[in-house]
């Protein structure tokens, strides 16, 4: 299968456009569903998808001791990541959540320096500093409303999501040296389904399901959990990882745009200033010296 450079660029942009709407989808889903319903749907639909593809990944290159990395990987993402991210949308705005989520490459670089002895450039250090300052300003001066009852708590939960996916990235860098990305994705989805399924017994069955809520749930489960991840895997198979990561910085842009259009989220001057500082750090970390 071959794709032209222009087609690949369109696919990766579509991927991150869909991803940028994830937090808006969760906001709509919460109109009828509880957090546990949402997190289970996010892994269960993907789990069914990978079961259909079982023949493509079932021959795992398992070696003694792999279980430690596989269990830690599933614990970090989807389990902790989905819980932190989904709960955060109960308390903060989608726009702020999108900006904080975009700090993941910076956290991954810092974690790689600490745990994997990878090089940490001065540009990355400056970017991390700007991102932290910007997110702190945006969080502290965020007003609460009916859709964001406690922005500071929600942003701290989103930070927990970023740290969780950073832990996943460290495990994945080790395990993907032998396991295919398809196998890793399948283990994540099926492992998360097994973990989250018992939680459904503690959540009452939703009785008044609105169409916007159902659409939001399906968007998060199918649109992001299957389509966006598939497009991401496809893109990274044909494009350098650094270029794909650069396009990933479009996520907060699309999240801010969708949150403004669909949710009517507005920000005060200090919030906008904080978000601009955080985005400046993200851009500095992404653009090459040349």
């Amino acid at each position: 299968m071959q794709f032209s450079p222009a087609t690949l660029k369109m696919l990766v942009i579509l991927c991150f456009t869909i991803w940028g709407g994830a937090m808006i989808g969760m906001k709509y889903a919460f109109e009828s569903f509880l957090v546990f319903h949402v997190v289970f749907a996010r892994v269960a639909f993907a789990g069914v998808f990978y079961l259909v593809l079982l023949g493509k990944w079932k021959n795992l290159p398992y070696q003694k001791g792999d279980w430690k990395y596989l269990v830690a990987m599933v614990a970090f993402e989807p389990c902790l990541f989905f819980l932190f991210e989904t709960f955060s949308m109960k308390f903060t705005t989608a726009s702020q959540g999108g900006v904080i989520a975009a700090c993941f490459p910076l956290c991954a670089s810092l974690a790689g320096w600490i745990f994997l002895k990878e090089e940490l450039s001065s540009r990355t250090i400056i970017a991390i500093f700007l991102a932290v300052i910007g997110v702190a300003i945006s969080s502290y001066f965020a007003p609460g409303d009916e859709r964001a009852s406690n922005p500071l708590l929600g942003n701290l939960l989103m930070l927990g999501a970023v740290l969780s996916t950073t832990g996943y990235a460290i495990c994945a860098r080790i395990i993907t040296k032998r396991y295919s990305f398809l196998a890793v994705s399948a283990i994540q989805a099926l492992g998360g389904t097994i973990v989250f399924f018992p939680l459904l017994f503690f959540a009452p069955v939703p009785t008044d399901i609105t169409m916007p809520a159902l659409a939001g749930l399906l968007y998060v489960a199918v649109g992001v959990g299957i389509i966006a991840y598939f497009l991401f895997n496809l893109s990274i198979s044909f494009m350098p990882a650094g270029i794909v990561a650069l396009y990933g910085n479009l996520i907060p842009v699309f999240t801010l745009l969708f949150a403004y259009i669909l949710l009517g989220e507005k920000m005060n001057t200090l919030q906008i200033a904080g978000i601009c500082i955080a985005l400046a750090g993200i851009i500095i970390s992404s653009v090459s010296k040349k």
Side-chain angles (χ1 to χ4, degrees):
M1 185 183 298
Q2 296 295 325
F3 298 92
S4 67
T7 300
L8 286 172
K9 290 178 182 179
M10 292 300 296
L11 290 176
V12 75
I13 290 174
L14 176 61
C15 165
F16 291 119
T17 302
I18 296 172
W19 223 316
M23 296 176 193
I24 287 81
M26 282 188 277
K27 285 290 188 182
Y28 279 111
F30 288 145
E31 293 180 2
S32 299
F33 299 98
L34 299 177
V35 169
F36 291 146
H37 298 140
V38 177
V39 293
F40 179 73
R42 295 182 70 174
V43 291
F45 278 83
V48 172
F49 175 75
Y50 287 113
L51 281 177
V52 173
L53 299 178
L54 180 63
K56 301 288 186 180
W57 60 268
K58 65 179 181 179
N59 296 320
L60 300 176
Y62 184 84
Q63 292 183 5
K64 185 178 180 180
D66 282 357
W67 68 270
K68 293 181 291 187
Y69 297 110
L70 294 172
V71 170
M73 185 178 66
V74 171
F76 280 125
E77 188 174 341
C79 295
L80 289 175
F81 173 73
F82 280 5
L83 284 173
F84 277 128
E85 185 188 44
T86 308
F87 269 111
S88 74
M89 287 297 98
K90 294 286 289 183
F91 299 105
T92 191
T93 61
S95 54
Q96 290 192 79
V99 173
I100 297 172
C103 294
F104 160 67
L106 303 180
C107 292
S109 297
L110 183 60
W113 174 67
I114 295 173
F115 296 105
L116 302 178
K117 309 303 179 184
E118 296 177 350
E119 182 181 356
L120 188 65
S121 67
S122 57
R123 291 164 60 84
T124 303
I125 295 173
I126 294 172
I128 291 171
F129 176 77
L130 290 176
V132 170
I133 294 298
V135 168
I137 292 173
S138 175
S139 302
Y140 184 78
F141 292 103
D145 57 29
E146 67 277 3
R147 287 183 179 267
S149 58
N150 193 335
L152 182 58
L153 173 60
N155 291 344
L156 288 174
L157 289 170
M158 182 56 70
L159 178 60
V162 172
L163 295 177
S164 298
T165 200
T166 301
Y168 156 75
I170 297 298
C171 295
R173 287 183 190 181
I174 297 172
I175 207 69
T176 51
K177 292 178 180 178
R178 289 183 290 101
Y179 288 71
S180 70
F181 197 92
L182 184 64
V184 170
S185 300
I187 292 169
Q188 283 182 276
L190 293 171
T193 302
I194 293 170
V195 171
F196 287 133
F197 178 71
L199 298 179
L200 291 180
F201 295 101
F202 299 95
V205 177
T207 55
D208 185 17
I209 301 176
T210 65
M211 287 305 297
L214 182 60
L217 186 72
L218 291 176
Y219 182 91
V220 171
V222 179
V224 181
I226 297 177
I227 298 175
Y229 269 101
F230 178 82
L231 291 175
F232 177 81
N233 295 340
L234 179 66
S235 301
I236 210 162
S237 298
F238 292 94
M239 299 173 66
I243 299 298
V244 176
L246 178 61
Y247 278 93
N249 292 304
L250 292 171
I251 291 177
V253 177
F254 287 121
T255 301
L256 290 169
L257 180 63
F258 294 150
Y260 176 77
I261 295 174
L262 299 175
L263 300 178
E265 291 186 359
K266 297 178 181 179
M267 294 172 284
N268 58 44
T269 304
L270 289 172
Q271 280 183 275
I272 294 173
I275 287 175
C276 288
I277 293 172
L279 289 176
I282 294 166
I283 292 171
I284 287 173
S285 72
S286 303
V287 178
S288 66
K289 293 181 180 180
K290 183 183 298 185

